[in-house]
Amino acid sequence: MTDLFTPYELKALTLKNRVVMPPMCQYAVEKQDGIPTDWHHVHYVSRAVGGTGFIIVEMSGVHPEGRITDRDTGIWDDAQITPFKRITDAVHAYGAAIAIQLGHAGRKAVDAKPPVAPSAIPFDETYATPRALTREEIAGLVTSYREAARRAVEAGFDTVELHGAHGYLIHQFHSPLSNVRDDEYGRDPILFGEQVVKAVREVLPAEMPLLMRVSAREYVDGGYDEAYALEFCRRYQAAGVDMFHVSSGGEGPIGSNGGPGAGPGYQVELAEYIRSGLQVPVIAVGRLESYEDAQAVITEAKAELVAVGRGMLSDPYWVLHAAEALGGIDPADIPKPYERGVWNKK
């Protein structure tokens, strides 16, 4: 039976298990230069030591003004390649695969002066009003994504993930809440994301899969539903996306139409919907820190991979402890320096 600990392959991406550490911003770049620090090295490498099969580095800006804050990582300059290479080499040494999430915060870039967006609509009253991007600037950002992907390949990442969720720039283009343009990017709100996917695909090796994180539903008045999400995912798949990381929300405060209960696995049904609608592999995410809940997603064939965020923030060895709790850990998986620990071995 396929479970959390069954290996998985997608093109040239080979994973020793089905557990993903999703991208989670650390806001830890004190010099504000986008370069990952010792903190990031320890943060990611410790999860590889802890048995994680697939690690996705936090959203890293493709442009200095596209970071959520100035303390976020970035990959807009070749000088950032070597520091990331130090992390990828170490993660690989401990048996994990690693990706990087490429993104631009758009109107949610809190330190940009001013932020930019498809239209001059602020996220809410606490955010600055963004400047609407010109068509020339949009073309430049497509190039920025492509160049960031090139750097990611040079830095040794096994793949990249595009951030098209949580109210950031690609999401802002395909959301009716934030895109009221009257040019081609308004008439076809999926066009920008599609152009980004195609541009990134140009610089990735053919055997390297391309991932994309999407919000499959907006929990706000006037927001889109999963049927529209299926439509834009179909376009992104045709443009070159091989796997979707399915989340939800992020484009506005929760409105009167209600929002998720945010209980364990509350987004799994959305991942299933995209998976079955497109016959595409997916990563399920959302309050899956319980070993049993994460296991059920795989054993019940609801998704190919499971992302565990909060659980891994509190426990770098979540995967080893999951194996221990779900039937015993294989002694071969225990790091040799930790063999004297108390483990429920098989």
Side-chain angles (χ1 to χ4, degrees), residues 103-289:
H104 189 295
R107 68 180 187 172
K108 295 177 85 172
V110 299
D111 289 330
K113 299 188 183 342
V116 295
S119 302
I121 303 171
F123 176 66
D124 64 24
E125 65 279 1
T126 68
Y127 281 74
T129 298
R131 179 176 58 77
L133 288 158
T134 67
R135 292 157 78 184
E136 292 73 22
E137 288 172 327
I138 291 171
L141 285 174
V142 172
T143 299
S144 294
Y145 274 95
R146 183 176 64 237
E147 286 300 289
R150 172 189 62 79
R151 295 183 188 101
V153 173
E154 292 183 24
F157 286 100
D158 298 293
T159 184
V160 301
E161 177 177 276
L162 299 175
H163 202 345
H166 301 165
Y168 299 121
L169 189 61
I170 293 176
H171 184 172
Q172 288 164 31
F173 269 91
H174 65 227
S175 174
L177 299 169
S178 46
N179 183 357
V180 295
R181 300 175 69 95
D182 59 7
D183 63 3
E184 64 268 36
Y185 291 101
R187 293 189 297 271
D188 181 2
I190 306 171
L191 178 61
F192 174 68
E194 185 178 61
Q195 290 178 334
V196 169
V197 170
K198 289 180 177 178
V200 167
R201 188 75 265 177
E202 289 174 0
V203 297
L204 298 186
E207 68 278 9
M208 181 179 286
L210 175 59
L211 282 60
M212 189 172 196
R213 197 169 205 186
V214 296
S215 284
R217 182 188 294 161
E218 291 183 323
Y219 303 104
V220 63
D221 292 335
Y224 64 74
D225 61 12
E226 54 266 43
Y228 177 62
L230 188 68
E231 176 187 340
F232 63 65
C233 285
R234 180 175 287 111
R235 288 270 298 276
Y236 295 149
Q237 181 186 28
V241 173
D242 299 289
M243 172 178 268
F244 290 99
H245 191 169
V246 184
S247 187
S248 62
E251 195 42 51
I254 293 176
S256 59
N257 63 339
Y266 74 98
Q267 295 175 141
V268 173
E269 67 174 19
L270 296 173
E272 284 188 276
Y273 179 79
I274 300 298
R275 182 178 187 257
S276 62
L278 299 180
Q279 298 299 299
V280 65
V282 298
I283 305 171
V285 64
R287 303 288 185 173
L288 292 170
E289 56 264 26

Side-chain angles (χ1 to χ4, degrees), residues 1-3 6 295 299:
M1 180 179 68
T2 300
D3 63 16
T6 303
Q295 176 81 304
T299 58

Side-chain angles (χ1 to χ4, degrees), residues 261-328:
Y266 74 98
Q267 295 175 141
V268 173
E269 67 174 19
L270 296 173
E272 284 188 276
Y273 179 79
I274 300 298
R275 182 178 187 257
S276 62
L278 299 180
Q279 298 299 299
V280 65
V282 298
I283 305 171
V285 64
R287 303 288 185 173
L288 292 170
E289 56 264 26
S290 159
Y291 308 137
E292 292 76 14
D293 290 339
Q295 176 81 304
V297 171
I298 302 301
T299 58
E300 296 173 15
K302 295 179 177 181
E304 279 67 30
L305 304 176
V306 172
V308 179
R310 291 171 177 82
M312 284 203 190
L313 287 180
S314 64
D315 182 6
Y317 310 103
W318 188 94
V319 176
L320 296 179
H321 291 143
E324 183 179 31
L326 295 171

